[in-house]
Amino acid sequence: MTRGRIDALALDNYQRAARVVLANHLVTRTYPDRIALPLVRRWATELREDLAELFGYRLEVTETTARVFPVLDRLDASRPARTSADRVFDRRRYAYLALALAALGRAGDQITLSELADQVAVYTAQLDGLDLATDRAADRDAFVDAVGWLATRGALTLADGDASGWASDPNAGEALYDIDRAVVFALFRPPRALQHLHSVHGLLGEPTATGPASPRHSEAARHVRRALVERPVVYAADLEADELPLLTQDRLIAEVELFTGLRAERRAEGVALIDTSGRLSDVRFPGTGTLAQVGLLLAGEIADRVLDIDDPIARRTGATEPASALAADLDAAIPQSSVFEPLSELDAASTESDEPPTEDVPEPDYPFLDTAWIEETVHALTDRYGATFAAQWQADVPGLTAEVIALLERLRLIARVTGGLLVLPALARYRGAVVTVRAKKSAELFVTAAETYPSADAVSSTRSADPAPDDAVDPAASPTEDRLHREPVLDTAGTEGAE
């Protein structure tokens, strides 16, 4: 492996490049920042070899782009496309994004926003249930969000005008974009032709190779390494029987640590990589903002409830990853009229496994909390600390509850099931949250702030410094990160509790 040949003084720089390509499968001259692409190009040869050997990933590097083609082992709905305002893309925005890419692939070096919208509108006319009417504000907003996603990644560069002006009034506003064809070409490169697939499961796993197949133990090792860098926590219960022993191997864990520069933390239930750099995690927890702070408080309340020996909690078995339901929803949306039957049958045959099925492993059971308890607890937290929450959440406690639960599920601290949620082992890291209320003196505030928030309190939550010895850890939590108080928003300070 090339990492062993890298000078110790340059290893940190190489690990930074590795974290960049793992966190951003597409790197351009401006995305995620202007220093990322030169860094990746500096280590292109070493990264290409190590990504292929450790994870089975393919890396293509050009003068203007670096593109990682990962191997997907499972469906993951936790990292959706988002607008510039951090709103999750809906189906309409995804459709506009795909059609805009198709239009840009046939365009020249420049295109106006209205011309791109007209071309996408022509495409939507050929699809049942989808249209783009530029006289409707909602359609224009959704289209501008899709164009903004492309502009953020460098596929489009604003040359003149303003997209928001066109969204407000297409007759008065306009925008002109330069097209980076290399980025457009790199954005959509599926591992298999979509017209050959009957199911989204055909996109999972490594494509069939023309050469000799890799040994099963090598494939299993790559699967475990991929899980370590792609999931917040790798639970032993999520792995196959032949993969489970690999999770306990010092060599395999050390290889991932050396490649990423992160530190693995092991517990009886699983392993997590701790990201103190902030360059690999897309979500930092604990963090600032109402959702992260309420999530930390709720995690502490859940842990206290689970550990209450006077009132034992119910336990329930269940899948911690609802991948089957997601696959069913995606398969239901496949337009069967576009599937090329002869090739789809060949593709299905090529992806069948000749290996005997592995033994069924009994599902572990987890503490179960019903929905009513969660809702009551968030209401109680709102009554107690609501004055420090963002205004939009003070008036929308049900919405706050839904968003906080989604955050904890994304971090793999809980799993939603019918009627409630399962408490996963990593959540125990945040048990025993100590809340202190520090009142601001009026003299310390600006006059306007004192008049607006005469009795606003700052609340600081600190995680317990003694996590359970057999609990996994949330890798998004930064063990060295300190937070500053920001009035009047609830704030938290995370402390490392693994040592």
Short mmCIF file of all heavy atoms in Angstrom, two decimals, residues 241-285:
data_model
loop_
_atom_site.label_atom_id
_atom_site.label_comp_id
_atom_site.label_asym_id
_atom_site.label_seq_id
_atom_site.Cartn_x
_atom_site.Cartn_y
_atom_site.Cartn_z
N ALA A 241 -22.32 -12.70 8.66
CA ALA A 241 -21.57 -13.59 9.56
C ALA A 241 -20.09 -13.64 9.21
O ALA A 241 -19.24 -13.69 10.10
CB ALA A 241 -22.18 -14.99 9.51
N ASP A 242 -19.74 -13.60 7.91
CA ASP A 242 -18.33 -13.66 7.53
C ASP A 242 -17.63 -12.32 7.64
O ASP A 242 -16.40 -12.23 7.56
CB ASP A 242 -18.18 -14.21 6.11
CG ASP A 242 -18.91 -13.35 5.09
OD1 ASP A 242 -19.81 -12.59 5.50
OD2 ASP A 242 -18.58 -13.43 3.90
N GLU A 243 -18.39 -11.24 7.82
CA GLU A 243 -17.80 -9.91 7.96
C GLU A 243 -17.57 -9.53 9.42
O GLU A 243 -16.69 -8.71 9.72
CB GLU A 243 -18.71 -8.86 7.31
CG GLU A 243 -18.90 -9.05 5.82
CD GLU A 243 -20.04 -8.22 5.27
OE1 GLU A 243 -20.81 -7.67 6.08
OE2 GLU A 243 -20.17 -8.15 4.04
N LEU A 244 -18.32 -10.11 10.30
CA LEU A 244 -18.25 -9.74 11.71
C LEU A 244 -16.85 -9.93 12.31
O LEU A 244 -16.36 -9.04 13.00
CB LEU A 244 -19.29 -10.54 12.50
CG LEU A 244 -19.46 -10.18 13.97
CD1 LEU A 244 -19.78 -8.70 14.14
CD2 LEU A 244 -20.56 -11.03 14.60
N PRO A 245 -16.15 -11.05 12.07
CA PRO A 245 -14.81 -11.18 12.65
C PRO A 245 -13.83 -10.12 12.15
O PRO A 245 -12.90 -9.74 12.86
CB PRO A 245 -14.37 -12.59 12.20
CG PRO A 245 -15.63 -13.31 11.89
CD PRO A 245 -16.56 -12.28 11.36
N LEU A 246 -14.06 -9.60 10.92
CA LEU A 246 -13.15 -8.60 10.36
C LEU A 246 -13.24 -7.29 11.11
O LEU A 246 -12.27 -6.52 11.15
CB LEU A 246 -13.47 -8.38 8.88
CG LEU A 246 -13.32 -9.59 7.97
CD1 LEU A 246 -13.81 -9.28 6.56
CD2 LEU A 246 -11.87 -10.05 7.92
N LEU A 247 -14.40 -7.02 11.71
CA LEU A 247 -14.58 -5.76 12.43
C LEU A 247 -13.71 -5.71 13.68
O LEU A 247 -13.45 -4.63 14.21
CB LEU A 247 -16.06 -5.58 12.80
CG LEU A 247 -16.48 -4.20 13.30
CD1 LEU A 247 -16.28 -3.15 12.22
CD2 LEU A 247 -17.93 -4.21 13.76
N THR A 248 -13.27 -6.84 14.15
CA THR A 248 -12.44 -6.88 15.36
C THR A 248 -10.95 -6.99 15.05
O THR A 248 -10.14 -7.04 15.97
CB THR A 248 -12.85 -8.08 16.24
OG1 THR A 248 -12.60 -9.30 15.53
CG2 THR A 248 -14.33 -8.00 16.60
N GLN A 249 -10.59 -7.01 13.77
CA GLN A 249 -9.19 -7.16 13.40
C GLN A 249 -8.44 -5.83 13.55
O GLN A 249 -8.84 -4.82 12.97
CB GLN A 249 -9.06 -7.65 11.96
CG GLN A 249 -9.42 -9.11 11.76
CD GLN A 249 -9.12 -9.58 10.35
OE1 GLN A 249 -8.63 -8.83 9.51
NE2 GLN A 249 -9.42 -10.85 10.09
N ASP A 250 -7.35 -5.86 14.27
CA ASP A 250 -6.56 -4.64 14.46
C ASP A 250 -6.00 -4.13 13.14
O ASP A 250 -5.96 -2.92 12.90
CB ASP A 250 -5.41 -4.91 15.43
CG ASP A 250 -5.89 -5.19 16.84
OD1 ASP A 250 -7.03 -4.79 17.17
OD2 ASP A 250 -5.15 -5.81 17.62
N ARG A 251 -5.59 -5.04 12.27
CA ARG A 251 -4.97 -4.62 11.02
C ARG A 251 -5.95 -3.86 10.15
O ARG A 251 -5.61 -2.82 9.57
CB ARG A 251 -4.41 -5.84 10.26
CG ARG A 251 -3.79 -5.47 8.93
CD ARG A 251 -3.27 -6.70 8.21
NE ARG A 251 -2.75 -6.36 6.89
CZ ARG A 251 -2.26 -7.24 6.03
NH1 ARG A 251 -2.21 -8.53 6.35
NH2 ARG A 251 -1.82 -6.85 4.84
N LEU A 252 -7.16 -4.38 10.00
CA LEU A 252 -8.14 -3.73 9.14
C LEU A 252 -8.49 -2.34 9.67
O LEU A 252 -8.56 -1.36 8.89
CB LEU A 252 -9.40 -4.60 9.03
CG LEU A 252 -10.48 -4.10 8.08
CD1 LEU A 252 -11.16 -5.29 7.39
CD2 LEU A 252 -11.53 -3.26 8.79
N ILE A 253 -8.71 -2.24 10.97
CA ILE A 253 -9.03 -0.93 11.56
C ILE A 253 -7.85 0.02 11.39
O ILE A 253 -8.03 1.21 11.06
CB ILE A 253 -9.38 -1.09 13.05
CG1 ILE A 253 -10.59 -2.02 13.23
CG2 ILE A 253 -9.64 0.26 13.68
CD1 ILE A 253 -11.86 -1.51 12.62
N ALA A 254 -6.63 -0.48 11.59
CA ALA A 254 -5.45 0.38 11.47
C ALA A 254 -5.27 0.89 10.05
O ALA A 254 -4.82 2.03 9.84
CB ALA A 254 -4.20 -0.39 11.90
N GLU A 255 -5.63 0.09 9.04
CA GLU A 255 -5.53 0.54 7.66
C GLU A 255 -6.44 1.73 7.40
O GLU A 255 -6.04 2.71 6.75
CB GLU A 255 -5.89 -0.61 6.72
CG GLU A 255 -4.85 -1.71 6.64
CD GLU A 255 -5.33 -2.89 5.82
OE1 GLU A 255 -6.56 -3.03 5.65
OE2 GLU A 255 -4.48 -3.68 5.37
N VAL A 256 -7.66 1.67 7.90
CA VAL A 256 -8.59 2.78 7.71
C VAL A 256 -8.14 4.01 8.50
O VAL A 256 -8.25 5.15 8.02
CB VAL A 256 -10.02 2.36 8.12
CG1 VAL A 256 -10.99 3.52 7.96
CG2 VAL A 256 -10.48 1.17 7.28
N GLU A 257 -7.65 3.81 9.70
CA GLU A 257 -7.15 4.93 10.50
C GLU A 257 -5.98 5.61 9.80
O GLU A 257 -5.92 6.85 9.74
CB GLU A 257 -6.70 4.43 11.87
CG GLU A 257 -7.81 4.06 12.81
CD GLU A 257 -7.30 3.59 14.16
OE1 GLU A 257 -6.31 2.83 14.19
OE2 GLU A 257 -7.88 4.00 15.18
N LEU A 258 -5.05 4.83 9.25
CA LEU A 258 -3.89 5.41 8.59
C LEU A 258 -4.28 6.15 7.32
O LEU A 258 -3.72 7.20 7.00
CB LEU A 258 -2.88 4.30 8.25
CG LEU A 258 -1.56 4.73 7.61
CD1 LEU A 258 -0.81 5.68 8.54
CD2 LEU A 258 -0.71 3.52 7.26
N PHE A 259 -5.26 5.63 6.59
CA PHE A 259 -5.68 6.27 5.35
C PHE A 259 -6.41 7.58 5.61
O PHE A 259 -6.19 8.57 4.91
CB PHE A 259 -6.57 5.31 4.56
CG PHE A 259 -7.05 5.87 3.25
CD1 PHE A 259 -6.17 6.06 2.19
CD2 PHE A 259 -8.38 6.20 3.07
CE1 PHE A 259 -6.60 6.58 0.99
CE2 PHE A 259 -8.82 6.71 1.86
CZ PHE A 259 -7.93 6.90 0.81
N THR A 260 -7.27 7.62 6.60
CA THR A 260 -8.11 8.78 6.84
C THR A 260 -7.54 9.76 7.86
O THR A 260 -7.94 10.92 7.88
CB THR A 260 -9.50 8.34 7.34
OG1 THR A 260 -9.35 7.63 8.58
CG2 THR A 260 -10.19 7.44 6.32
N GLY A 261 -6.65 9.29 8.73
CA GLY A 261 -6.16 10.14 9.80
C GLY A 261 -7.14 10.26 10.95
O GLY A 261 -6.94 11.08 11.86
N LEU A 262 -8.21 9.45 10.94
CA LEU A 262 -9.19 9.46 12.02
C LEU A 262 -8.85 8.38 13.04
O LEU A 262 -8.04 7.49 12.78
CB LEU A 262 -10.60 9.23 11.47
CG LEU A 262 -11.05 10.17 10.36
CD1 LEU A 262 -12.50 9.91 9.99
CD2 LEU A 262 -10.87 11.63 10.75
N ARG A 263 -9.49 8.46 14.19
CA ARG A 263 -9.25 7.49 15.27
C ARG A 263 -10.48 6.61 15.46
O ARG A 263 -11.59 7.12 15.62
CB ARG A 263 -8.92 8.22 16.57
CG ARG A 263 -8.70 7.29 17.76
CD ARG A 263 -8.14 8.07 18.94
NE ARG A 263 -9.02 9.15 19.33
CZ ARG A 263 -10.07 9.02 20.14
NH1 ARG A 263 -10.38 7.82 20.61
NH2 ARG A 263 -10.80 10.06 20.47
N ALA A 264 -10.27 5.31 15.42
CA ALA A 264 -11.38 4.38 15.62
C ALA A 264 -11.60 4.17 17.10
O ALA A 264 -10.66 4.03 17.88
CB ALA A 264 -11.08 3.05 14.94
N GLU A 265 -12.86 4.16 17.48
CA GLU A 265 -13.22 3.88 18.86
C GLU A 265 -14.12 2.65 18.87
O GLU A 265 -15.13 2.59 18.17
CB GLU A 265 -13.95 5.07 19.48
CG GLU A 265 -13.96 5.03 20.99
CD GLU A 265 -14.21 6.40 21.60
OE1 GLU A 265 -13.61 7.37 21.15
OE2 GLU A 265 -15.04 6.45 22.50
N ARG A 266 -13.73 1.64 19.65
CA ARG A 266 -14.40 0.34 19.60
C ARG A 266 -15.18 0.09 20.88
O ARG A 266 -14.75 0.45 21.97
CB ARG A 266 -13.38 -0.78 19.40
CG ARG A 266 -12.41 -0.55 18.27
CD ARG A 266 -11.57 -1.78 18.04
NE ARG A 266 -10.30 -1.45 17.41
CZ ARG A 266 -9.44 -2.34 16.98
NH1 ARG A 266 -9.70 -3.64 17.13
NH2 ARG A 266 -8.31 -1.98 16.43
N ARG A 267 -16.31 -0.54 20.71
CA ARG A 267 -17.13 -1.00 21.82
C ARG A 267 -17.64 -2.40 21.46
O ARG A 267 -17.46 -2.86 20.34
CB ARG A 267 -18.31 -0.04 22.07
CG ARG A 267 -17.89 1.35 22.53
CD ARG A 267 -17.29 1.30 23.93
NE ARG A 267 -16.94 2.64 24.41
CZ ARG A 267 -15.76 3.19 24.30
NH1 ARG A 267 -14.78 2.54 23.66
NH2 ARG A 267 -15.52 4.39 24.78
N ALA A 268 -18.27 -3.04 22.41
CA ALA A 268 -18.77 -4.40 22.16
C ALA A 268 -19.78 -4.42 21.03
O ALA A 268 -19.86 -5.40 20.27
CB ALA A 268 -19.39 -4.97 23.44
N GLU A 269 -20.56 -3.35 20.88
CA GLU A 269 -21.62 -3.34 19.86
C GLU A 269 -21.13 -2.91 18.49
O GLU A 269 -21.84 -3.11 17.50
CB GLU A 269 -22.75 -2.40 20.28
CG GLU A 269 -23.52 -2.85 21.51
CD GLU A 269 -22.85 -2.45 22.81
OE1 GLU A 269 -21.75 -1.82 22.75
OE2 GLU A 269 -23.40 -2.74 23.87
N GLY A 270 -19.95 -2.29 18.39
CA GLY A 270 -19.51 -1.84 17.08
C GLY A 270 -18.31 -0.91 17.15
O GLY A 270 -17.65 -0.78 18.18
N VAL A 271 -18.05 -0.25 16.02
CA VAL A 271 -16.89 0.61 15.85
C VAL A 271 -17.34 1.90 15.17
O VAL A 271 -18.22 1.89 14.31
CB VAL A 271 -15.79 -0.07 15.01
CG1 VAL A 271 -14.59 0.86 14.83
CG2 VAL A 271 -15.35 -1.38 15.66
N ALA A 272 -16.69 3.01 15.55
CA ALA A 272 -16.96 4.29 14.92
C ALA A 272 -15.65 5.04 14.75
O ALA A 272 -14.74 4.91 15.56
CB ALA A 272 -17.94 5.13 15.74
N LEU A 273 -15.56 5.80 13.68
CA LEU A 273 -14.40 6.67 13.46
C LEU A 273 -14.71 8.05 14.02
O LEU A 273 -15.77 8.62 13.73
CB LEU A 273 -14.08 6.78 11.97
CG LEU A 273 -13.57 5.51 11.27
CD1 LEU A 273 -13.29 5.81 9.80
CD2 LEU A 273 -12.33 4.97 11.95
N ILE A 274 -13.79 8.58 14.81
CA ILE A 274 -13.98 9.90 15.41
C ILE A 274 -13.30 10.93 14.52
O ILE A 274 -12.09 10.87 14.28
CB ILE A 274 -13.38 9.95 16.83
CG1 ILE A 274 -13.97 8.84 17.68
CG2 ILE A 274 -13.64 11.31 17.46
CD1 ILE A 274 -15.47 8.90 17.84
N ASP A 275 -14.08 11.88 14.04
CA ASP A 275 -13.57 12.90 13.11
C ASP A 275 -13.37 14.21 13.86
O ASP A 275 -14.31 14.98 14.06
CB ASP A 275 -14.56 13.09 11.96
CG ASP A 275 -14.10 14.17 10.99
OD1 ASP A 275 -12.91 14.52 11.02
OD2 ASP A 275 -14.94 14.66 10.21
N THR A 276 -12.14 14.47 14.28
CA THR A 276 -11.85 15.73 14.96
C THR A 276 -11.50 16.84 13.97
O THR A 276 -11.43 18.00 14.34
CB THR A 276 -10.66 15.56 15.92
OG1 THR A 276 -9.51 15.16 15.18
CG2 THR A 276 -10.99 14.51 16.97
N SER A 277 -11.30 16.47 12.69
CA SER A 277 -10.91 17.46 11.69
C SER A 277 -12.10 18.23 11.14
O SER A 277 -11.96 19.37 10.70
CB SER A 277 -10.19 16.76 10.52
OG SER A 277 -11.11 15.95 9.79
N GLY A 278 -13.29 17.59 11.14
CA GLY A 278 -14.45 18.22 10.54
C GLY A 278 -14.46 18.16 9.03
O GLY A 278 -15.34 18.74 8.39
N ARG A 279 -13.51 17.43 8.41
CA ARG A 279 -13.43 17.37 6.96
C ARG A 279 -14.13 16.16 6.36
O ARG A 279 -14.29 16.07 5.16
CB ARG A 279 -11.96 17.34 6.52
CG ARG A 279 -11.16 18.55 6.90
CD ARG A 279 -11.49 19.76 6.07
NE ARG A 279 -11.19 19.56 4.67
CZ ARG A 279 -11.19 20.55 3.77
NH1 ARG A 279 -11.46 21.78 4.15
NH2 ARG A 279 -10.93 20.31 2.51
N LEU A 280 -14.52 15.20 7.21
CA LEU A 280 -15.18 14.01 6.69
C LEU A 280 -16.64 13.96 7.10
O LEU A 280 -17.48 13.42 6.39
CB LEU A 280 -14.45 12.75 7.18
CG LEU A 280 -14.95 11.41 6.63
CD1 LEU A 280 -14.87 11.40 5.11
CD2 LEU A 280 -14.14 10.26 7.18
N SER A 281 -17.00 14.53 8.24
CA SER A 281 -18.37 14.48 8.73
C SER A 281 -19.21 15.57 8.07
O SER A 281 -18.79 16.72 7.98
CB SER A 281 -18.41 14.67 10.24
OG SER A 281 -17.68 13.67 10.90
N ASP A 282 -20.39 15.19 7.58
CA ASP A 282 -21.30 16.19 7.03
C ASP A 282 -22.22 16.75 8.10
O ASP A 282 -22.89 17.76 7.88
CB ASP A 282 -22.13 15.60 5.89
CG ASP A 282 -22.90 14.36 6.30
OD1 ASP A 282 -22.54 13.76 7.33
OD2 ASP A 282 -23.85 13.98 5.60
N VAL A 283 -22.26 16.13 9.28
CA VAL A 283 -23.04 16.63 10.40
C VAL A 283 -22.17 16.58 11.65
O VAL A 283 -21.60 15.53 11.97
CB VAL A 283 -24.31 15.77 10.63
CG1 VAL A 283 -25.07 16.27 11.87
CG2 VAL A 283 -25.23 15.82 9.42
N ARG A 284 -22.08 17.69 12.35
CA ARG A 284 -21.30 17.73 13.59
C ARG A 284 -22.28 17.65 14.76
O ARG A 284 -23.28 18.37 14.80
CB ARG A 284 -20.48 19.02 13.68
CG ARG A 284 -19.45 19.14 12.58
CD ARG A 284 -18.50 20.30 12.82
NE ARG A 284 -17.62 20.03 13.94
CZ ARG A 284 -16.51 19.31 13.85
NH1 ARG A 284 -16.17 18.78 12.70
NH2 ARG A 284 -15.73 19.11 14.89
N PHE A 285 -21.96 16.75 15.68
CA PHE A 285 -22.84 16.57 16.83
C PHE A 285 -21.98 16.21 18.04
O PHE A 285 -21.16 15.27 17.95
CB PHE A 285 -23.85 15.45 16.56
CG PHE A 285 -24.91 15.32 17.61
CD1 PHE A 285 -25.98 16.21 17.64
CD2 PHE A 285 -24.86 14.33 18.57
CE1 PHE A 285 -26.97 16.09 18.59
CE2 PHE A 285 -25.84 14.20 19.52
CZ PHE A 285 -26.90 15.09 19.54
#
